[in-house]
Amino acid sequence: MNLYEFIPPEQIFLDAALGDKDDVLRFTAQKLAELGIVKSQEGVYRALRQREDMMSTGIGDGIGIPHALTPEVEHVAILLIRPEKPVPFDALDRQPVCLVIPLIVPENETTL
């Protein structure tokens, strides 16, 4: 199994200049919009922000998996982001994230 089978190269971002969690969420929404994957950049950002406000998606060990259900996407969308420097993310282990895997899921999707 190869990573490119699940995440096409154009959805992988290495050494992204991101300063904090909000930068990560905005970057995610922007890139998904630029790729034509989502209907509304702002709608995706709001969905991600709302989910983060409930509880951080920083799962620990330097990994963040921001995710949201939204009508802004027709199919599951995933990115791989490696920030240039570790990003504070309010992770469960209180460590910054070095790898971010955003996941955007259609609002009506109940199973994957």
Side-chain angles (χ1 to χ4, degrees):
M1 177 185 327
N2 295 305
L3 184 60
Y4 67 82
E5 293 177 50
F6 298 98
I7 307 174
E10 64 271 14
Q11 290 173 225
I12 298 173
F13 302 92
L14 305 178
D15 300 324
L18 303 167
D20 60 21
K21 183 193 301 192
D22 200 62
D23 287 348
V24 171
L25 302 181
R26 289 192 182 280
F27 181 87
T28 296
Q30 175 187 351
K31 293 305 178 187
L32 288 169
E34 287 174 1
L35 290 165
I37 295 172
V38 298
K39 299 172 190 172
S40 165
Q41 177 177 333
E42 189 59 30
V44 170
Y45 168 75
R46 281 194 311 266
L48 288 167
R49 181 79 261 165
Q50 181 179 11
R51 173 59 186 86
E52 284 300 318
D53 288 345
M54 289 191 310
M55 181 178 176
S56 177
T57 58
I59 63 171
D61 291 325
I63 299 171
I65 307 178
H67 56 280
L69 294 170
T70 177
E72 304 300 338
V73 65
E74 293 182 21
H75 304 285
V76 173
I78 187 169
L79 299 179
L80 178 72
I81 303 168
R82 183 183 71 194
E84 179 177 59
K85 298 176 185 171
V87 175
F89 215 80
D90 302 319
L92 298 175
D93 64 359
R94 300 179 192 251
Q95 297 301 309
V97 298
C98 305
L99 183 66
V100 183
I101 307 166
L103 182 64
I104 309 301
V105 180
E107 189 173 53
N108 61 354
E109 184 70 57
T110 57
T111 61
L112 292 176

